[in-house]
Amino acid sequence: ITLCKQFCFIPKLPEIMSEPKKPTLATSMALGGTAAAFAVNFTHPIELVKTRLQVSGGSIGATCSEILSKEGVTAFWKGIPFGYGRELSYTSIKLGAYAPVRDAMGANEPNSPFYLKFAAGALTGGVGSIFGNPFDVMKTLAQTNKGSESLGALVNNLYRDQGAAGFYRGVQVNIMRACVLNATKMGCYDMAKGHVSTATGWDRKDPKTVFASSFIAGFFMTITVAPWDMLRTKLMNQPTDVKLYDGFVDCASKTIKEGGVLSLWRGFVPIWARFAPQATLQLLTIEALYTYLGYKGI
């Protein structure tokens, strides 16, 4: 054995390093929906406060105190079933379909043009918002409902007064919002991962890289999306039997006339307080699912 070790040549077999496989579009969308449905359990209360602030114009403290004193702690989760529906439809497309669509557009390299990454985000966000709009409308009505009206009653009242079209009110501004939001979120996140990884030496799939990049994306999302979010909330929160605005242009004009241009950014802090943890939870979860199942990350 000793002689063999000294004189015999034993070739070393090369290590086979397999590249992580890419998930199919359907698989990636399923993982995106799962990640979003998990995250919404934690961010829904923040969004409820944000939505009421946009409607009433009060302060964060006063809004929270009013909810606690008059409706109880569970009121912070009003409309959560519609929230699940939204995440499993809209977010499964905007989050889950991003990587496959980006790759199909040839923007899957770290140094790929940023406008292609933004275009992939805008496309998946816009398509997703069409499917998620009915859940968005019902979620907004449920979150602003301060009474004890059931979710079923809200749905019935909307259908009775406006028909099926009522579930798609505000769809124009919602599509624009989704395009801007997802282009900023996924484009900034994708680019930030490269910069963070280069600056720190962390791997792109390292949770620290994902956390830092998603937090950065959440901040820029808030800056670009806040005005669209305000207009969407106002359009979707119209009474079921009254039409207050003739589309998003009329809504924007009346909002600016009443409160000035900066009123479009009302609720900036709670919006950021929602976007930052939401983006972080969603992206951490989907990246963890990709890794666990052996798929290539974003």
Side-chain angles (χ1 to χ4, degrees):
I1 296 175
T2 303
L3 289 173
C4 185
K5 286 182 179 179
Q6 291 178 352
F7 299 104
C8 295
F9 173 72
I10 303 175
K12 185 178 180 181
L13 295 176
E15 294 183 2
I16 300 174
M17 299 295 291
S18 58
E19 284 289 327
K21 57 186 177 180
K22 293 182 180 180
T24 64
L25 179 62
T27 300
S28 191
M29 285 173 57
L31 295 179
T34 301
F38 169 74
V40 77
N41 290 293
F42 305 96
T43 59
H44 191 82
I46 303 173
E47 185 186 17
L48 183 138
V49 174
K50 178 270 300 182
T51 300
R52 293 202 179 183
L53 276 174
Q54 291 176 325
V55 173
S56 67
S59 67
I60 297 175
T63 301
C64 291
S65 296
E66 183 183 19
I67 294 171
L68 283 171
S69 61
K70 295 183 179 180
E71 301 172 67
V73 175
T74 57
F76 286 100
W77 281 268
K78 271 188 174 181
I80 190 69
F82 297 127
Y84 290 134
R86 177 183 185 271
E87 304 308 330
L88 293 173
S89 55
Y90 164 54
T91 311
S92 68
I93 298 174
K94 75 164 187 173
L95 177 63
Y98 170 75
V101 170
R102 175 204 62 190
D103 294 352
M105 295 174 68
N108 56 322
E109 297 298 328
N111 59 347
S112 297
F114 74 91
Y115 59 85
L116 289 180
K117 298 179 187 290
F118 276 64
L123 177 61
T124 53
V127 172
S129 67
I130 297 173
F131 290 93
N133 203 85
F135 296 107
D136 257 331
V137 171
M138 296 313 306
K139 178 170 64 69
T140 301
L141 288 175
Q143 289 178 326
T144 54
N145 174 33
K146 298 182 180 181
S148 57
E149 197 170 13
S150 67
L151 298 182
L154 288 172
V155 175
N156 290 333
N157 291 343
L158 180 61
Y159 184 75
R160 179 197 64 206
D161 296 332
Q162 299 186 17
F167 295 97
Y168 276 90
R169 61 183 183 177
V171 68
Q172 297 95 339
V173 72
N174 204 25
I175 291 174
M176 294 180 208
R177 172 190 179 275
C179 289
V180 172
L181 183 152
N182 214 46
T184 308
K185 174 183 178 180
M186 301 309 297
C188 287
Y189 172 72
D190 206 339
M191 293 174 63
K193 281 185 77 175
H195 291 297
V196 170
S197 181
T198 301
T200 62
W202 300 336
D203 187 77
R204 282 181 65 91
K205 298 179 75 172
D206 191 308
K208 296 192 294 294
T209 304
V210 176
F211 179 85
S213 303
S214 56
F215 191 84
I216 293 170
F219 176 73
F220 286 103
M221 281 167 59
T222 309
I223 294 175
T224 59
V225 175
W228 303 99
D229 198 73
M230 165 67 80
L231 298 177
R232 183 195 67 159
T233 298
K234 287 199 166 190
L235 286 166
M236 290 184 174
N237 191 53
Q238 298 176 86
T240 60
D241 56 346
V242 179
K243 189 175 183 180
L244 301 177
Y245 307 106
D246 293 321
F248 77 92
V249 174
D250 181 52
C251 182
S253 299
K254 289 180 178 177
T255 301
I256 294 172
K257 186 177 180 180
E258 291 171 4
V261 175
L262 292 180
S263 67
L264 294 174
W265 277 268
R266 181 185 296 156
F268 183 90
V269 173
I271 292 174
W272 187 23
R274 175 202 167 212
F275 277 168
Q278 183 183 51
T280 302
L281 281 171
Q282 286 181 355
L283 291 164
L284 277 171
T285 305
I286 194 172
E287 294 277 23
L289 290 172
Y290 279 147
T291 301
Y292 178 75
L293 296 174
Y295 292 124
K296 183 179 179 181
I298 296 174

